[in-house]
Amino acid sequence: MSAEATKAQERPVTAELAKEFGLSAEEYRNALDILGRTPTFTELGIISVMWSEHCSYKSSKLWLKTLPTTGPQVICGPGENAGVVDIGDGDAVIFKMESHNHPSYIEPYQGAATGVGGILRDVFTMGARPIANMNALRFGSPDHPKTRHLVSGVVAGIGGYGNCVGVPTVGGETNFHPAYNGNILVNAMTVGVAKTDKIFYSAAAGIGNPVVYVGSKTGRDGIHGATMASAEFTEDSEEKRPTVQVGDPFTEKLLIEACLELMETDAIVAIQDMGAAGLTSSSVEMAGKGGLGIELTLDTLPMREQAMTPYEIMLSESQERMLIILKPGREEVAKAIFDKWELDFAVIGHLTDTGNLVIKMYGETWCNMPIAPVSNAAPEYDRPWEPTPKASDLDDSVFDGYSESLGDTLTKLFGCPDLASKRWIWEQYDSLVGGDTRFMSGQADAAVVRVPGQTKAVAITTDCTPRYCLADPIEGGKQAVAEAWRNLSAVGALPLAITDNMNFGNPEKPRIMGQFVGAVQGIGEACKALDFPVVSGNVSLYNETNGEAILPTPAIGGVGIMPDAMIAVGIAFKNEGDVILAVGDTKGHIGQSIFLREILGREEGAPPPVDLAVERRNGDFVRGLIREGLVVSSHDVADGGLMVTIAEMALPVASAPT
Amino acid sequence: MKAAIVVFPGSNRERDAVAALEAVSGTKPHLVWHRDTELPKVDLIVVPGGFSYGDYLRSGAMAAHSPIMREVKARADQGVRVLGVCNGFQIITEAGLLPGALMRNGALKFVCRVQHLRVENTDSPFTKKYAKGQIVRFPVAHGDGNYWTDAETVKRLDGEGQVAFRYVADEARADPRGNPNGSVSDIAGIFNAKRTVLGLMPHPEDAVEALHGNTDGKPMFEGLVEALS
């Protein structure tokens, strides 16, 4: 490959090409203004991914800023690779949930697998050893022709990756609804632990410091993946299969061990994984956060394919790669560690004082543009939005004609896809590797995993009830946070913080944007009332196919702490004669219930309102009882109400580890 | 008892094995890297679970040819006890320390669950603390645990007391639901002829403390400590 051959592959930079790359006419004009010239082909590619919805959060940023993100427990809130929360004794828990929806629909195994890989990297790049994975999955109707293929592919992909890297997958949630027929949701969450004085950040520092590339080689996979995730699906989405990356969990496992080993030394200045938009976003973000420039020479970068162009290299989303800024003179120390783990290692550039991103290859410069103006000019939209009309409450007339026995009703409810046993799924995940799993979710309201080498444990849950969010985004947003808080309290944990994974349709439609705005408002209210801040998150928009949007799905990943894993309680009843205590008012709300949907065949009404003060009081009470050792089992009343809750506590979980 | 745990790129249950051995023996085991060519002087060698080399070839096939395995085989020939768990079972079988082969699970899916096993032979340091016929629970977590060997070899293994554990349903019935992977004759673990080498798919190291829900794996490590100290 040569400079000439590269140029021969490039297309002339025009407004049309910019549009093809996902930039609006206004965004393209803005790019011309900043540069004062026409961007090069490589520069246009870089700008288009930096300004994509996926990377810039241009539709959501304005609203996400309103969320509470601080608290005495918070060490690092949103903006880094993951959120960091203090769990005492000099330990921190580091976690985040992230979507991989679009790729998983197109190629379920690899889409889901690389989703797990990506979120793992976000956590270990900050210095944490991952101790647990969770996932929140939404699929279409079970009788839709694609659902079976998607479920089996996604589950196998999650298992294939997580099992191999040796991080236990300890639970999550799986729902089915026809609104996901054309857009499934695959939200993966990783929780890790680190020492509070050994946390690594992404801001580059030190002019002249070497920029190091480690991990897998770069190939042509995933080019413009971030752009794909920023548009609706159409009939020809299948053709986007080549933009889905391929995962290599073995390399990820080596990368985890090598990075954690390097982190034991003092060689690292800053480190970031190459996720969406690969080398572009990692280099730009690291240099940008440090207020510096960065110059990369790509000739020595490890490549999997021949004759790659700078454009392809900068936009590739090949997996299992990290970018590291080293202290001067530490290259050999670092290289020895990566050699031991048989991973590629290359010094590909250095930091500069120019503030520019400079890309060189084949003896020429392909990109030379200022980082700060381009980053700062990333669009931020105040998109028009419509509040969701309030649904009216239902009266008792909905029961007209309902005459079956409660026993039959219970059987039907247990048979419905949302409430049926998910054993077929979770048996495919190694939930026990590490030997620290006390409960996986399903055995208890939250998964409970001991901090390695200690007695204390973190509790983890993922929650969202999309049908509530559709009927009333504000109450639905509140409910998702409240349920996460309740589930953590129900095992005996003190809830600490959440990560939010906002999955919605096309934000350019005011109705959809209204769902997003409402959900953020509800989440914010609940986080404030429960002292349960948002420390990390991810937004996935444009989950639409042929104009049909998914249910608004703000998935909440909650993390809590308890002093001893052995005080945690599960849901299973233990002894004959034990007293059953119901905490809280049972008011008989029917709107948006599973009963209404599955038995009466109607999806309507208002969701049950959430009283955050009562939520807090009841949760504190239950946690207190558990901590005093007075509780043998506990379960929150959720889908299916009291009857299903009691039945779930009575059903033996046949192959549970306890 | 001094123990060494062999670590391959992709091993992922070595920490579980360290914790179990340290808890029972009070001594931290040596971790030996796959590229090493020598083993410290030890009484027990553990080949742990995981996905050595990603198991992108047949499970365990690559690891079986790594430098350290020559030394493991040499020590095994001298009578040093070898315990291969899960991927470790696959590796030592591929290396020829045990007969047979491990194939993809019958249902073609990874399976992780707590599994009931019947102890078939107690005449070994690995199993001496169990009663013959005792039902124990160890977790399984594997995709390639479907043990196969020909009928004649199964007969010989049974006759020579080389079958260590069999999968059973909860009450020791010969119930196919008890077999998680389609293994021939419900075999979960086997010894070599001298019963100095044990390979098994289930994870005794993940059933050694209250947090694990049961401690049925602990007697295996206690037996080894008792026999080898």
Side-chain angles (χ1 to χ4, degrees), chain B residues 93-106:
Chain B
T93 304
E94 285 285 341
L97 288 175
L98 295 170
L102 290 139
M103 307 187 298
R104 179 60 42 96
N105 291 350

Side-chain angles (χ1 to χ4, degrees), chain A residues 57-217:
Chain A
Y57 292 83
K58 58 191 169 192
S59 303
S60 57
K61 218 166 12 180
L62 181 71
W63 298 100
L64 295 176
K65 283 180 197 160
T66 66
L67 290 170
T69 58
T70 56
Q73 72 276 39
V74 178
I75 294 174
C76 175
E80 274 293 333
N81 286 297
V84 185
V85 175
D86 196 334
I87 53 170
D89 314 314
D91 298 314
V93 62
I94 301 184
F95 64 95
K96 187 180 176 185
M97 179 154 50
E98 197 165 76
S99 61
H100 228 213
N101 304 334
H102 295 78
S104 299
Y105 182 81
I106 292 172
E107 168 43 55
Y109 185 98
Q110 293 299 344
T114 54
V116 174
I119 195 62
L120 279 164
R121 283 193 297 285
D122 277 337
V123 167
F124 76 72
T125 192
M126 296 196 74
R129 177 170 285 283
I131 63 165
N133 282 333
M134 298 275 283
N135 53 76
L137 312 178
R138 321 276 164 189
F139 296 102
S141 172
D143 51 18
H144 186 272
K146 286 203 85 163
T147 300
R148 184 174 283 262
H149 156 74
L150 291 169
V151 172
S152 57
V154 164
V155 170
I158 290 172
Y161 209 99
N163 299 345
C164 182
V165 295
V167 176
T169 302
V170 293
E173 51 178 352
T174 309
N175 292 138
F176 298 86
H177 192 280
Y180 302 103
N181 279 351
N183 295 81
I184 60 169
L185 302 184
V186 174
N187 296 172
M189 175 173 174
T190 294
V191 179
V193 287
K195 288 286 168 198
T196 51
D197 59 357
K198 284 292 251 181
I199 292 167
F200 292 82
Y201 297 98
S202 57
I207 293 157
N209 277 350
V211 178
V212 167
Y213 170 113
V214 298
S216 286
K217 291 177 168 51

Side-chain angles (χ1 to χ4, degrees), chain A residues 306-325:
Chain A
Q306 291 186 334
M308 289 188 72
T309 66
Y311 164 85
E312 290 171 330
I313 291 169
M314 290 307 291
L315 267 65
S316 162
E317 291 188 7
S318 290
Q319 299 289 292
E320 294 94 22
R321 305 177 301 159
M322 311 284 279
L323 201 62
I324 304 175
I325 312 293

